[in-house]
Amino acid sequence: MSRTRHTENQFALDLGDDSPVNTTATEPRKPVDNSQLLASLNETETLLGQWQQAGWIRPLDTGFARLIRELSEEQGQSPQPLVLLLAALTSHQVGRGHVCIDLATLLADAGHTLALPPEEPANTGLSEAEVANLQGIYPQDLLARVQLADCLVGLQGSLAVSDGSEPAPLVLNGTRLYLRRFWRYEQRIADGIQQRLALPSTLADPQSVAAQTLSTALNTLFRSTEPVDYQKLACALAARNRFAVITGGPGTGKTTTVVNLLAALQAVAGETPERAGRKYRIRLAAPTGKAAARLNESIGGAVSKLPLADLPGSVQLDDIPTKVTTLHRLLGSRPDTRQFRHNQDNPLLVDILVIDEASMVDVDLMASVFDALPANAQLILLGDKDQLASVDAGAVLGELCQRAFDAHYTPDTASWLAAITGARVPDGLVDNSGQALDQAVAMLRKSYRFGQDSGIRELAEAVNTSALTSRVLGQIRGAEFEDVIWLNGDTPRPDPEQTLELICRHAITGTPESFRNAGQGRVVNGKALPPPVGYRHYLEVIHSSGLTADSPREAWDAHAAEVLEAFNDFQVLCALRKGPWGVEGLNQRIAQELLAEKLIDKTDGWYAGRPVLVTGNDYNLGLMNGDIGITFSVPWDKTASGEPKDTLRVAFPSGDSTGGIRWISPSRLQQLETVYAMTVHKSQGSEFNHTCLVLPDRLSPVLTKELVYTGITRAKNWFSLITGDAQVFKDSVGQQVVRASGLALRLVDN
């Protein structure tokens, strides 16, 4: 946290970023009257200090409350203790991914809203007696006798709070309380969207040259015989608006859609007199290096299949970009600061910006995107609205897509779409009272990846619609699907130690014998599919190279590429980071099992075969958060006598879709972790041939249907589930991510 002193009764505050904390709500209890703890500032500060010491809230939260008191007292005001409490809780909620705290929701159910105390607080060294004493000062007890009016009066009378028109650390908007920085982020995003939606479009008149060119291009690009081609509709909508969202589940063709969209837009540019044949400057970006690399791989192939010769506007291959960068690199990240080189004073040189995996973009980064975009630039967001929200505060894509399923297209929009695409919009998607934002959001509704008999598809849909029926559960328990198994589904509450051993064994082999027909005989898209594998597979590929010190570097590069591809055939995903069910515990156990199988020669430090996940952007090395590399022992160094000497190098994909390899010394790698197991959050933007989702033996707030859905949909061909408690799996689907924010309300037509 950094602080800037105020002048002339103005506050300025800038809080540092913190990742969300996994916490768990408690069972409802009989409230205890602890109102005396809000009787004085010192009592309230002592209380917050106790919560911090117990690991319930962060030092950042208590520090913010103290800052509010200091700044208020410097202005000659003694703030109400309730204001200090609400300030700390607002900071706490930001740490959990919320943009603000809704006071009405807080007072209605403080325990659930705050998830305090956490089920597994940090190990702070408190004695049992000290922990027991905390049981009488739960937030829900403290707030049980507080009325909404009390909060509003206290906040409105505080110099530390404003309505946003004057600088202050806190902003009160209705019943929503924000840290000022996050209120500004939300405001900038809403303003950026509304400004673009209000811009006139040359395509609005379906009889115009531009609209007719778009129609011709879309008819050339889409040859579907279906009554409604939702990809084509999405392209038309996105072309008409300077801001657009295209959402869809896995395999619905988001990449194909956006490539066709860009080709159609370049065709329009080539035929529009105002542009004099100048094509649009287009950039492609994603929030993480892994997501950027994945889009790089897929977009190149899609562009190569475009019927450019048949399009109007003389569209050339170079007019459609295939290089994808991270948002941080695009915006010009500056070390040790939240600011970027590109901003309102130094905008990007771009006409169209496409952001893939937009569900991973938090409010801070999205606000920076709008700051850096020229006023007339077009922004297109791609992503799956049902996936997990960003790690940091906000759920921008989810909020923008709240009404996407029913579309809410106005009759005018439906008529325009029919004129441009030749397809009648289904009546169920038309709404006379549709909002402006609705006209810029398109949902892809058909999956081309999974067949109708796919267990992955059916299970994902069941989870996403909260329809996890006994029939579906029975099907995955009995391995009735070719591609899905629940390894311990017949045991409702299995022994924890046996389950952890099962996870490790499964991680080694992939347990093909548990799948129907032992995973044999599957054909996908006309190709025979090998049975599922575990980590033994990639380690055997490493050991079978046959390469020597005399082998050319190209041979080593090809070998590394083969190993990286083999590693991508299997991945364990976890809901938690810590504990035996989290990535920390499972990475250690899986490594020990691999050592026992003599597939690796050690479990600590660096060793041949160690897979690592980059956890922070390193622009000097060209590595991005989410990149995965494999450690190799290579005979490239020499002894004093000139003999080949083995040394460790980590191989990473080049990330530019060329198939190249970067070899990096372990000593140069700073932000990373072993990745036999990774969190579901970290897996977003990735796909694996076989995915194993591990769910723990206790329910917590982090276990939601979004997390389970995201874990399932990381699997391309095989999915396995292992649970510490079957009921936790079912209960997780009943929990949904709800992040407090006012963005959607700001975008409602007045």
Side-chain angles (χ1 to χ4, degrees), residues 57 127 166 212 231 245 258 276 290 336 357 373 474 479 506 608 683 694 722 727 735:
I57 61 177
S127 67
E166 297 180 0
Q212 290 295 308
Q231 292 186 0
V245 180
V258 78
K290 185 67 178 178
D336 304 320
E357 297 291 350
L373 278 178
H506 181 60
S683 75
V694 174
I722 301 178
Q727 190 62 42
Q735 297 193 141

Side-chain angles (χ1 to χ4, degrees), residues 284-323:
L284 309 175
T288 68
K290 185 67 178 178
R294 181 180 159 206
L295 184 58
N296 255 327
E297 294 169 0
S298 59
I299 205 163
V303 170
S304 66
K305 298 176 183 177
L306 288 172
L308 298 181
D310 300 329
L311 290 176
S314 302
V315 182
Q316 305 299 311
L317 194 62
D318 291 344
D319 295 332
I320 315 296
T322 57
K323 183 179 180 181

Side-chain angles (χ1 to χ4, degrees), residues 59 83 96 135 300 313 335 443 719 750:
V83 173
R96 298 182 59 239
Q135 294 178 359
M443 181 174 171
F719 175 76
N750 295 322

Side-chain angles (χ1 to χ4, degrees), residues 265-589:
L265 286 170
Q266 294 292 41
V268 173
E271 294 290 315
T272 302
E274 293 80 4
R275 295 197 60 83
R278 292 180 293 106
K279 299 299 197 297
Y280 292 117
R281 297 168 298 179
I282 302 173
R283 298 296 301 273
L284 309 175
T288 68
K290 185 67 178 178
R294 181 180 159 206
L295 184 58
N296 255 327
E297 294 169 0
S298 59
I299 205 163
V303 170
S304 66
K305 298 176 183 177
L306 288 172
L308 298 181
D310 300 329
L311 290 176
S314 302
V315 182
Q316 305 299 311
L317 194 62
D318 291 344
D319 295 332
I320 315 296
T322 57
K323 183 179 180 181
V324 187
T325 186
T326 65
L327 276 173
H328 285 84
R329 184 179 290 279
L330 175 73
L331 296 174
S333 173
R334 297 163 59 187
D336 304 320
T337 175
R338 188 177 293 114
Q339 305 302 315
F340 294 96
R341 288 195 300 274
H342 289 289
N343 49 44
Q344 291 176 333
D345 298 323
N346 181 31
L348 293 164
L349 296 175
V350 63
D351 298 308
I352 301 172
L353 174 61
V354 178
I355 301 177
D356 193 25
E357 297 291 350
S359 63
M360 302 168 66
V361 183
D362 57 72
V363 290
D364 185 344
L365 188 54
M366 189 65 77
S368 296
V369 169
F370 278 101
D371 281 347
L373 278 178
N376 292 325
Q378 187 171 1
L379 177 61
I380 302 164
L381 304 182
L382 303 178
D384 186 346
K385 66 179 179 63
D386 298 315
Q387 284 189 27
L388 283 165
S390 58
V391 173
D392 292 316
V396 177
L397 186 73
E399 284 199 80
L400 298 177
C401 295
Q402 285 180 356
R403 292 160 55 91
F405 184 81
D406 293 322
H408 300 280
Y409 299 141
T410 64
D412 286 346
T413 296
S415 176
W416 184 88
L417 285 170
I420 298 299
T421 68
R424 184 173 181 269
V425 176
D427 292 341
L429 304 183
V430 180
D431 180 1
N432 286 320
S433 58
Q435 301 285 310
L437 177 62
D438 297 331
Q439 318 313 305
V441 178
M443 181 174 171
L444 306 180
R445 301 168 188 266
K446 180 180 178 179
S447 177
Y448 297 89
R449 178 183 303 166
F450 304 118
Q452 289 301 307
D453 61 344
S454 167
I456 296 174
R457 179 193 61 78
E458 185 156 347
L459 181 58
E461 288 182 359
V463 167
N464 198 30
T465 57
S466 300
L468 200 60
T469 63
S470 56
R471 179 186 65 82
V472 175
L473 293 171
Q475 286 178 299
I476 61 174
R477 280 196 187 99
E480 295 181 24
F481 296 112
E482 286 187 321
D483 52 351
V484 175
I485 56 171
W486 188 356
L487 279 172
N488 58 348
D490 291 327
T491 309
R493 300 198 67 179
D495 177 78
E497 187 62 28
Q498 291 180 356
T499 303
L500 293 170
E501 291 178 1
L502 171 65
I503 295 168
C504 292
R505 293 196 302 273
H506 181 60
I508 305 300
T509 67
T511 323
E513 65 276 9
S514 296
F515 286 87
R516 205 172 87 187
N517 301 322
Q520 301 283 345
R522 282 192 66 196
V523 177
V524 176
N525 295 327
K527 296 181 179 179
L529 190 69
V533 298
Y535 291 132
R536 179 189 297 275
H537 172 57
Y538 91 91
L539 290 166
E540 288 178 342
V541 175
I542 287 182
H543 300 319
S544 66
S545 74
L547 298 175
T548 68
D550 297 325
S551 300
R553 183 62 63 90
E554 292 78 10
W556 282 99
D557 288 354
H559 174 55
E562 183 184 11
V563 172
L564 286 163
E565 184 177 357
F567 182 78
N568 208 49
D569 281 336
F570 180 78
Q571 183 64 59
V572 174
L573 300 181
C574 304
L576 308 176
R577 285 203 56 80
K578 299 185 180 297
W581 300 95
V583 294
E584 294 180 2
L586 285 178
N587 272 319
Q588 185 177 7
R589 292 188 70 122

Side-chain angles (χ1 to χ4, degrees), residues 587-703:
N587 272 319
Q588 185 177 7
R589 292 188 70 122
I590 292 171
Q592 290 170 346
E593 188 76 16
L594 291 168
L595 178 65
E597 293 283 329
K598 299 183 174 19
L599 293 168
I600 57 176
D601 57 16
K602 58 186 296 188
T603 61
D604 299 320
W606 288 98
Y607 53 87
R610 181 191 179 191
V612 294
L613 174 74
V614 176
T615 57
N617 295 338
D618 189 328
Y619 296 103
N620 291 325
L621 296 177
L623 297 176
M624 299 294 127
N625 184 12
D627 285 348
I628 291 177
I630 305 290
T631 311
F632 289 77
S633 179
V634 294
W636 295 345
D637 288 352
K638 302 289 184 181
T639 64
S641 61
E643 296 295 319
K645 175 184 175 183
D646 286 338
T647 189
L648 295 177
R649 293 288 186 271
V650 186
F652 290 92
S654 61
D656 56 5
S657 72
T658 63
I661 297 293
R662 290 169 292 173
W663 297 91
I664 298 175
S665 172
S667 62
R668 301 185 66 193
L669 298 170
Q670 303 300 318
Q671 301 181 72
L672 53 82
E673 59 189 31
T674 302
V675 70
Y676 297 117
M678 72 168 63
T679 62
V680 176
H681 268 101
K682 283 290 188 183
S683 75
Q684 290 194 104
S686 302
E687 290 181 338
F688 308 95
N689 190 42
H690 179 191
T691 296
C692 171
L693 178 62
V694 174
L695 297 179
D697 58 349
R698 284 182 290 178
L699 189 66
S700 73
V702 74
L703 295 168

Side-chain angles (χ1 to χ4, degrees), residues 117-165:
E119 185 174 313
E120 297 182 0
N123 184 13
T124 58
L126 291 181
S127 67
E128 292 185 5
E130 289 172 321
V131 172
N133 288 334
L134 290 172
Q135 294 178 359
I137 52 174
Y138 288 176
Q140 55 263 49
D141 298 329
L142 196 62
L143 295 168
R145 289 165 175 82
V146 174
Q147 302 297 313
L148 179 60
D150 300 330
C151 297
L152 297 178
V153 169
L155 292 167
Q156 290 166 353
S158 173
L159 294 175
V161 184
S162 80
D163 61 0
S165 60

